Amino acid sequence: MIQFAINKAYFLQALHTTRRAISSKNAIPILSTIKIEVTSDGIYLTGSNGQISIENSISASEENAGLLITQPGSILLEANFFINVVSSLPDVTLTFEEIEQYQVLLKSAKTEITLKGKDAEQYPRIQEVDSLTPLIMDTKMLKSIIAETSFAASTQESRPILTGVHFVLSNHKDLKAVATDSHRMSQRQLVLEHSADNFDVVIPSRSLKELSAVFSDGIENLEIFFSANQILFRSETISFYTRLLEGNYPDTNRLLSDSFETEVVFETSTLRSAMERSYLISNASQSGTVKLEIINGNVSAHVNSPEVGKVNEDIDVLDVSGSDLIISFNPTYLIDALKALKSESVRIRFISPVRPFTLTPADDSENFIQLITPVRTN
Amino acid sequence: MIQFAINKAYFLQALHTTRRAISSKNAIPILSTIKIEVTSDGIYLTGSNGQISIENSISASEENAGLLITQPGSILLEANFFINVVSSLPDVTLTFEEIEQYQVLLKSAKTEITLKGKDAEQYPRIQEVDSLTPLIMDTKMLKSIIAETSFAASTQESRPILTGVHFVLSNHKDLKAVATDSHRMSQRQLVLEHSADNFDVVIPSRSLKELSAVFSDGIENLEIFFSANQILFRSETISFYTRLLEGNYPDTNRLLSDSFETEVVFETSTLRSAMERSYLISNASQSGTVKLEIINGNVSAHVNSPEVGKVNEDIDVLDVSGSDLIISFNPTYLIDALKALKSESVRIRFISPVRPFTLTPADDSENFIQLITPVRTN
């Protein structure tokens, strides 16, 4: 019969982190609960949606938590409801006491709230990940790789493997992350500081987006553990598990070519604003495309949506070279690609109106490359 | 064929205000457009959803607007789309030119966007309101009356008259505003500084909420004009029209009684937090009620939702007098009532467990009174 006292704000923060794995609309009702496990060392909060699981620990020795454990035990509580109740409590501290089996009494100042819970034995077991030597990664770097690639993954389940980001470590230190939805592709490469065991995994892009939200920038490094169908990202207090996608990821290297015919360097923000205007109008037409004309060193964008209107605009460039070219594409892909670029200027290389074109930061065309497939018009 | 140049930011602000009257899902397609009327004096923007109409003027003499009118005329443009396009334009100024009939060319820096519009003659005519002597009202005071009453109006169309706020001016200066959904009532009274013609109107509470958003606190006074089925609120640049509700508003005076048996004074925020906790639990049960017990000078709140849990809490009071009492009610109504109270303490007077109870600011029980009907739980 659990009994502990804790600082309300600290407890809430841990609950909110854990809730990120919990979906209130889960088809498996038990997964709408949060598992609270109290031991003599501290409290372990677990949430899961079947794909992602988060385990968050509050150590008895963590001063800010003000944790005082009188009795250990485990219980399941409806996650959203429990968190709302905790956050409504009046005092800075609260006591949590199991008064009957699966019945919890929360006390704070003069308030007493009794909640019904469930047997913790009903909660699915999270598959362990073997704790061999982990890969150590800088949290900010990992989150930056995720921001640069995950948006390009597919959101459609018709080819499930494309809903993930393909992470490959080769030569024990060459990391490559790539995502594609078959219309565009984004690939980031980097060399790790410390060598590690090679791996080749496809991580669901939705899991990666949650991961970025769960680990704050204050956490310097993450330990990463691999198993056959799961991966675990671990900080001092948080363990983030996600399933891996099964299947062979398509070979994306064959899409990249070194040759090109036309090259334009734009200020990233200038091109992005122009594409956002084009999108407003193109979005209303069936083809949904913008036509980019590169003629005699001048670049212009053109959209014609017979129902609503037209855009014609000259776009300032920083540099242009090579053959003239007229190419059509969906401006959404270019907007997304430019959003993912941190560099102030972008280099775009075109081969022909029917071949994919590439985007790289103007000052680094090696490590971060994106590719967009044009649309054939007539 | 319209032609003018204008400051983009100023134009956008006026467009956003006008859009508040426009619903993109209107059953009458023409009402999803904004009417742009250009005269030699300035520009008039009109939006309407059939209930509310807003006319916003930009004067040619307003310096911040940077307005330069070359040619007058009128046109209708799809409101949301047009506003998105204007806000996407690159420069601080833009030119607006009708190049063919019902076709507009917007130019800003090197961007040219052409939009299709419609004949302004298709736009419904806003019924004029006779410009007799208007009632002059302090904007902040009017917005405060709206905040204090409109929330208590009904949101259900089963008795349309109850979806409005009843405004009555008697003795040429005694203003009363009252709203009720038959479960609770809120009434604000005040004495106008200057005398005016008596009136008795029911204004849709939804219109009043929009009105509060449309007129900023920077506008000192509003002129109010009445007609048989419409009312016009006017500032220097904005005319806000709303239809009135037809029918007789129920007599709410008979609900108020001077006698009471029990009186409690609470700190507003203390009572509100307690009710918010009660609501979390009561909301999960069928009856949805909280039970307030006033016994021997102690006040406590109790909720029992068999499915999820219980609340028991003692509530600190500033003062309590009269008979003991146990009364049940929906905590939502009390939460709403407390939100509408600006005073730090609230006086609640009870007659019996089955009679409505009243709330007043503890320092002024004359001018602002609210009433909540209890729920009978035998």
Side-chain angles (χ1 to χ4, degrees):
Chain A
M1 304 280 271
I2 309 169
Q3 195 177 350
F4 67 87
I6 195 166
N7 174 281
K8 175 186 145 184
Y10 197 95
F11 192 38
L12 263 183
Q13 204 188 0
L15 288 167
H16 281 302
T17 299
T18 313
R19 172 157 66 177
R20 294 205 77 95
I22 302 173
S23 155
S24 57
K25 289 178 192 154
N26 206 295
I28 306 167
I30 205 82
L31 292 183
S32 69
T33 65
I34 191 162
K35 183 174 160 192
I36 300 178
E37 222 180 325
V38 181
T39 71
S40 53
D41 302 336
I43 299 180
Y44 299 85
L45 304 172
T46 307
S48 177
N49 63 8
Q51 287 289 324
I52 302 172
S53 304
I54 295 176
E55 197 184 83
N56 204 335
S57 65
I58 302 172
S59 165
S61 60
E62 166 61 50
E63 266 186 43
N64 296 327
L67 183 55
L68 194 78
I69 296 166
T70 318
Q71 284 283 339
S74 316
I75 194 166
L76 306 181
L77 290 164
E78 208 54 42
N80 284 332
F81 184 57
F82 177 62
I83 292 172
N84 289 342
V85 167
V86 170
S87 90
S88 81
L89 293 175
D91 202 4
V92 291
T93 60
L94 65 104
T95 65
F96 180 112
E97 191 182 344
E98 198 178 352
I99 46 171
E100 290 175 43
Q101 227 181 7
Y102 320 135
Q103 200 157 144
V104 166
L105 174 65
L106 301 173
K107 283 195 210 170
S108 178
K110 294 182 186 173
T111 302
E112 300 194 353
I113 300 185
T114 313
L115 299 176
K116 295 214 169 153
K118 285 182 182 145
D119 182 2
E121 289 300 313
Q122 291 178 35
Y123 204 79
R125 203 156 294 277
I126 295 178
Q127 208 190 321
E128 297 283 315
V129 171
D130 292 338
S131 294
L132 294 172
T133 335
L135 169 71
I136 311 283
M137 237 179 127
D138 180 274
T139 310
K140 274 190 200 155
M141 187 198 284
L142 176 63
K143 286 170 72 167
S144 147
I145 297 172
I146 293 171
E148 288 169 337
T149 54
S150 62
F151 73 92
S154 174
T155 52
Q156 315 216 317
E157 294 296 331
S158 51
R159 282 184 72 188
I161 196 80
L162 294 188
T163 62
V165 179
H166 189 202
F167 282 84
V168 181
L169 187 69
S170 45
N171 305 323
H172 299 285
K173 55 188 178 39
D174 295 334
L175 181 67
K176 187 176 89 172
V178 63
T180 178
D181 62 2
S182 79
H183 301 291
R184 35 91 180 267
M185 187 197 87
S186 184
Q187 173 184 298
R188 157 58 82 181
Q189 290 177 292
L190 60 89
V191 179
L192 293 184
E193 272 186 46
H194 305 287
S195 62
D197 289 342
N198 287 345
F199 56 81
D200 184 324
V201 293
V202 183
I203 309 177
S205 95
R206 244 183 300 171
S207 301
L208 291 169
K209 286 171 194 165
E210 280 304 324
L211 182 151
S212 291
V214 162
F215 292 106
S216 70
D217 286 346
I219 298 167
E220 206 168 325
N221 289 306
L222 292 180
E223 292 180 329
I224 307 175
F225 298 90
F226 298 89
S227 77
N229 54 9
Q230 258 202 134
I231 186 166
L232 160 62
F233 297 86
R234 199 168 73 180
S235 73
E236 202 184 327
T237 57
I238 304 170
S239 293
F240 182 101
Y241 298 80
T242 168
R243 278 182 198 282
L244 296 172
L245 291 171
E246 284 171 46
N248 289 319
Y249 201 83
D251 175 20
T252 50
N253 284 330
R254 64 176 177 79
L255 299 173
L256 297 168
S257 149
D258 279 338
S259 68
F260 59 95
E261 293 296 322
T262 312
E263 183 183 83
V264 190
V265 180
F266 294 96
E267 201 176 63
T268 311
S269 61
T270 303
L271 182 59
R272 183 171 159 188
S273 310
M275 287 302 114
E276 284 170 344
R277 284 186 286 275
S278 291
Y279 173 71
L280 279 177
I281 312 293
S282 72
N283 186 35
S285 80
Q286 265 199 322
S287 77
T289 60
V290 58
K291 186 167 71 178
L292 201 70
E293 295 188 357
I294 304 163
I295 292 170
N296 291 332
N298 294 314
V299 178
S300 57
H302 306 271
V303 179
N304 187 358
S305 293
E307 298 292 309
V308 296
K310 293 179 224 171
V311 178
N312 293 296
E313 92 171 83
D314 290 337
I315 306 175
D316 286 330
V317 300
L318 298 176
D319 192 37
V320 54
S321 62
S323 331
D324 286 357
L325 180 95
I326 297 176
I327 189 167
S328 293
F329 53 87
N330 182 333
T332 318
Y333 295 136
L334 186 48
I335 294 167
D336 286 349
L338 295 169
K339 279 186 194 169
L341 266 181
K342 267 165 265 148
S343 111
E344 280 180 23
S345 49
V346 55
R347 182 185 310 277
I348 307 192
R349 289 173 169 171
F350 302 91
I351 300 172
S352 88
V354 297
R355 299 276 300 275
F357 56 94
T358 61
L359 283 86
T360 55
D363 51 5
D364 167 16
S365 38
E366 291 300 309
N367 296 312
F368 183 33
I369 187 161
Q370 301 187 67
L371 188 142
I372 294 172
T373 304
V375 173
R376 291 183 201 221
T377 55
N378 75 343
Chain B
M1 304 281 271
I2 308 168
Q3 196 175 351
F4 67 88
I6 194 166
N7 175 283
K8 175 185 145 185
Y10 196 95
F11 192 37
L12 263 184
Q13 203 189 0
L15 288 167
H16 281 300
T17 299
T18 313
R19 172 157 66 176
R20 294 205 77 96
I22 303 172
S23 155
S24 57
K25 289 178 193 155
N26 206 296
I28 305 166
I30 205 81
L31 291 184
S32 68
T33 65
I34 191 161
K35 182 174 161 194
I36 299 177
E37 220 179 326
V38 182
T39 71
S40 53
D41 302 335
I43 299 180
Y44 298 85
L45 304 171
T46 306
S48 177
N49 64 8
Q51 287 289 324
I52 302 171
S53 303
I54 295 175
E55 197 184 82
N56 204 335
S57 65
I58 302 172
S59 163
S61 60
E62 166 61 50
E63 266 188 41
N64 297 325
L67 182 56
L68 195 79
I69 296 165
T70 318
Q71 284 282 338
S74 317
I75 195 166
L76 306 181
L77 289 165
E78 208 55 42
N80 283 332
F81 185 57
F82 177 60
I83 293 172
N84 289 341
V85 167
V86 170
S87 90
S88 82
L89 293 175
D91 202 3
V92 291
T93 59
L94 64 105
T95 66
F96 181 113
E97 192 183 342
E98 198 177 352
I99 46 171
E100 290 176 42
Q101 226 181 7
Y102 320 135
Q103 201 159 141
V104 165
L105 175 64
L106 300 173
K107 283 195 210 170
S108 178
K110 295 181 183 173
T111 302
E112 299 194 355
I113 300 184
T114 314
L115 299 177
K116 296 213 169 154
K118 286 182 182 142
D119 182 1
E121 288 300 315
Q122 291 178 36
Y123 203 79
R125 202 157 296 277
I126 294 178
Q127 207 190 320
E128 299 281 318
V129 172
D130 290 339
S131 295
L132 294 173
T133 333
L135 169 72
I136 312 281
M137 238 180 126
D138 179 273
T139 310
K140 275 190 201 156
M141 188 199 284
L142 175 63
K143 286 170 74 167
S144 146
I145 296 173
I146 292 171
E148 287 169 336
T149 55
S150 61
F151 73 92
S154 175
T155 53
Q156 314 215 320
E157 294 295 333
S158 51
R159 283 184 71 189
I161 195 79
L162 294 188
T163 63
V165 179
H166 188 202
F167 282 83
V168 181
L169 187 70
S170 44
N171 306 322
H172 298 284
K173 55 187 177 40
D174 295 333
L175 181 66
K176 187 175 87 171
V178 62
T180 178
D181 62 3
S182 79
H183 301 291
R184 35 100 177 262
M185 188 197 88
S186 184
Q187 173 184 297
R188 158 59 83 181
Q189 290 178 292
L190 60 87
V191 179
L192 294 184
E193 272 185 47
H194 306 287
S195 62
D197 289 341
N198 287 345
F199 56 81
D200 183 324
V201 294
V202 183
I203 308 176
S205 94
R206 246 183 302 172
S207 301
L208 291 170
K209 286 171 193 164
E210 281 305 324
L211 182 150
S212 290
V214 163
F215 293 105
S216 71
D217 287 345
I219 298 167
E220 207 169 323
N221 289 307
L222 293 180
E223 291 179 330
I224 307 175
F225 298 90
F226 298 88
S227 77
N229 54 9
Q230 258 201 135
I231 185 168
L232 160 62
F233 297 85
R234 198 167 74 180
S235 73
E236 203 184 328
T237 57
I238 303 170
S239 295
F240 182 101
Y241 298 80
T242 170
R243 278 183 198 281
L244 296 172
L245 292 172
E246 284 172 46
N248 289 318
Y249 200 82
D251 175 19
T252 51
N253 284 331
R254 64 177 177 79
L255 300 172
L256 296 168
S257 148
D258 280 337
S259 69
F260 59 94
E261 293 296 322
T262 312
E263 184 183 80
V264 190
V265 180
F266 294 95
E267 201 176 61
T268 311
S269 61
T270 303
L271 182 59
R272 181 170 160 191
S273 311
M275 287 302 114
E276 283 169 343
R277 284 186 286 275
S278 291
Y279 172 72
L280 280 177
I281 312 292
S282 71
N283 186 34
S285 80
Q286 264 198 324
S287 76
T289 59
V290 58
K291 187 167 69 177
L292 201 70
E293 297 188 354
I294 304 163
I295 292 172
N296 291 331
N298 294 314
V299 178
S300 58
H302 306 272
V303 180
N304 188 359
S305 293
E307 297 293 309
V308 296
K310 292 178 225 171
V311 179
N312 293 295
E313 93 171 82
D314 290 337
I315 306 175
D316 286 330
V317 299
L318 298 176
D319 192 37
V320 55
S321 61
S323 331
D324 286 358
L325 180 95
I326 298 177
I327 189 167
S328 293
F329 53 88
N330 183 332
T332 319
Y333 295 136
L334 186 48
I335 294 167
D336 286 351
L338 294 169
K339 279 185 193 167
L341 265 182
K342 267 166 265 147
S343 111
E344 281 181 22
S345 48
V346 55
R347 183 184 310 276
I348 307 192
R349 288 176 170 168
F350 302 90
I351 300 173
S352 88
V354 296
R355 299 278 299 276
F357 57 93
T358 61
L359 282 86
T360 55
D363 51 4
D364 166 17
S365 38
E366 290 301 308
N367 297 312
F368 183 33
I369 188 162
Q370 302 188 64
L371 188 142
I372 294 172
T373 304
V375 173
R376 290 184 202 221
T377 57
N378 54 346

